[in-house]
Amino acid sequence: MIENIVTVKLNVDEELTIKKNTLRGVNAENGKRIAIVTGIHGDELEGQYICYQLVKKLTANMTNLTGTVEIYPAVNPLGMESVSRAVPMTGLDMNRVFPGSNIGSIAENIAKKLVEDIAGADMCVDIHASNIFIREIPQVRVRPENSDYLLRYAKMLNTDMVWVHESGAVGDGSLAESLIAADVPTLVVEMGVGQRIDLEYCDQLLHGIFNLMHNLGIWSEEEHGISHPMVSTDGAVHVVHSSGSGIFIPTAEHNMWLAKGSVIGEIVTPITGTVEQEITAPVDGVIFSLREYPIVYEGSVIARMLSM
């Protein structure tokens, strides 16, 4: 069932409407409830394909659904229309205004209604992509203080990694922080790159969502082939920066294991035809973030590695 959760008046007699699709299975009134949220940032598109495939599979196999799935595919539709990370007109990052306000900006009003609508759910999965600069392997991000009880759920999502740290995606003003404060366990997924859809990553996470729902008792069919992710508490995270400006040309691949000293790539200067810096791995480990946008300046993030 598709319904509106919030409608906001805009200029020129227009309205901004945020919708959700609720699918209820057999004996759903006695079953558990999960919320799938995406589109908080307008330039993150991976979740759109996941929502499409999720609804498609659920509606074709309703006899396997034993709980309730609520899908919020576009929380920041104005941002999507304008290819903007923030909410247009206000410039606000919606993932910094939760739990929101009834008398605040458009973003705060939407945030307030979203938290109220999700309240009482047994689980929420908040799907994000990276920005246009860095490509991320599929990963769940969890604050250290929440890792004791969230880690076991995070491992069910079929991602390559769980990063336990103080990320902005789960920090102050985020949807995750507000829902966890309201006793709704919330897993934040980051993957891919901004303004793109990686079908392989999306399919990987989709299997993980059904696996999570199966373990929660919302989906009766068992998922097979679910991977066990790396966890950042098993090793240290190392960030590799550029020491100068130029064009980054990678030689290593994303999600590749490298020995210390192995070449990740080079920073070159087109006008002189010279290599300004050879980027090498500071440790033995796996690259889980890799520069996607080739223009770099001094201090630009080139890669993140998890030492193994």
Side-chain angles (χ1 to χ4, degrees), residues 257-262 280-285 305:
W257 185 92
L258 294 176
K260 181 179 179 179
S262 299
T280 59
V283 293
D284 296 343
M305 296 185 66

Short mmCIF file of all heavy atoms in Angstrom, two decimals, residues 257-262 280-285 305:
data_model
loop_
_atom_site.label_atom_id
_atom_site.label_comp_id
_atom_site.label_asym_id
_atom_site.label_seq_id
_atom_site.Cartn_x
_atom_site.Cartn_y
_atom_site.Cartn_z
N TRP A 257 43.58 -6.98 -1.80
CA TRP A 257 44.56 -7.11 -0.72
C TRP A 257 45.93 -6.72 -1.26
O TRP A 257 46.32 -7.17 -2.35
CB TRP A 257 44.60 -8.53 -0.19
CG TRP A 257 45.50 -8.67 1.02
CD1 TRP A 257 45.15 -8.56 2.32
CD2 TRP A 257 46.92 -8.95 1.01
NE1 TRP A 257 46.24 -8.74 3.14
CE2 TRP A 257 47.34 -8.98 2.36
CE3 TRP A 257 47.85 -9.17 0.00
CZ2 TRP A 257 48.65 -9.22 2.73
CZ3 TRP A 257 49.17 -9.40 0.36
CH2 TRP A 257 49.56 -9.43 1.72
N LEU A 258 46.63 -5.88 -0.52
CA LEU A 258 47.97 -5.44 -0.93
C LEU A 258 48.96 -5.65 0.20
O LEU A 258 48.62 -5.47 1.38
CB LEU A 258 47.96 -3.95 -1.30
CG LEU A 258 47.16 -3.52 -2.53
CD1 LEU A 258 47.21 -2.00 -2.66
CD2 LEU A 258 47.69 -4.18 -3.79
N ALA A 259 50.19 -5.99 -0.17
CA ALA A 259 51.27 -6.04 0.81
C ALA A 259 51.81 -4.63 1.02
O ALA A 259 51.72 -3.76 0.14
CB ALA A 259 52.38 -6.96 0.32
N LYS A 260 52.35 -4.39 2.20
CA LYS A 260 52.94 -3.09 2.50
C LYS A 260 53.99 -2.73 1.45
O LYS A 260 54.82 -3.54 1.07
CB LYS A 260 53.59 -3.12 3.89
CG LYS A 260 54.21 -1.80 4.30
CD LYS A 260 54.81 -1.88 5.70
CE LYS A 260 55.45 -0.55 6.11
NZ LYS A 260 56.02 -0.63 7.48
N GLY A 261 53.90 -1.50 0.93
CA GLY A 261 54.82 -1.03 -0.09
C GLY A 261 54.35 -1.25 -1.52
O GLY A 261 54.94 -0.71 -2.46
N SER A 262 53.26 -2.02 -1.70
CA SER A 262 52.72 -2.23 -3.05
C SER A 262 52.14 -0.92 -3.58
O SER A 262 51.64 -0.08 -2.83
CB SER A 262 51.62 -3.30 -3.02
OG SER A 262 52.13 -4.54 -2.58
N THR A 280 51.80 4.31 -2.29
CA THR A 280 52.03 2.93 -1.90
C THR A 280 51.23 2.59 -0.64
O THR A 280 50.84 3.46 0.13
CB THR A 280 53.52 2.67 -1.63
OG1 THR A 280 53.98 3.55 -0.60
CG2 THR A 280 54.34 2.89 -2.89
N ALA A 281 51.02 1.30 -0.46
CA ALA A 281 50.26 0.82 0.70
C ALA A 281 51.09 0.97 1.97
O ALA A 281 52.22 0.49 2.03
CB ALA A 281 49.87 -0.64 0.50
N PRO A 282 50.55 1.63 2.99
CA PRO A 282 51.31 1.81 4.24
C PRO A 282 51.37 0.55 5.10
O PRO A 282 52.19 0.46 6.02
CB PRO A 282 50.54 2.93 4.94
CG PRO A 282 49.13 2.78 4.46
CD PRO A 282 49.24 2.29 3.04
N VAL A 283 50.48 -0.41 4.82
CA VAL A 283 50.37 -1.63 5.63
C VAL A 283 49.96 -2.79 4.73
O VAL A 283 49.57 -2.59 3.58
CB VAL A 283 49.32 -1.48 6.75
CG1 VAL A 283 49.75 -0.46 7.79
CG2 VAL A 283 47.95 -1.11 6.17
N ASP A 284 50.05 -4.01 5.26
CA ASP A 284 49.41 -5.15 4.62
C ASP A 284 47.92 -5.04 4.90
O ASP A 284 47.51 -4.94 6.05
CB ASP A 284 49.92 -6.46 5.21
CG ASP A 284 51.40 -6.70 4.95
OD1 ASP A 284 51.97 -6.05 4.07
OD2 ASP A 284 51.98 -7.55 5.67
N GLY A 285 47.10 -5.06 3.85
CA GLY A 285 45.68 -4.95 4.11
C GLY A 285 44.83 -4.88 2.86
O GLY A 285 45.32 -5.06 1.74
N MET A 305 42.54 1.72 3.96
CA MET A 305 42.88 0.31 4.02
C MET A 305 42.61 -0.22 5.43
O MET A 305 42.79 0.48 6.41
CB MET A 305 44.37 0.11 3.68
CG MET A 305 44.75 0.49 2.27
SD MET A 305 46.48 0.09 1.91
CE MET A 305 46.44 -1.71 1.98
#
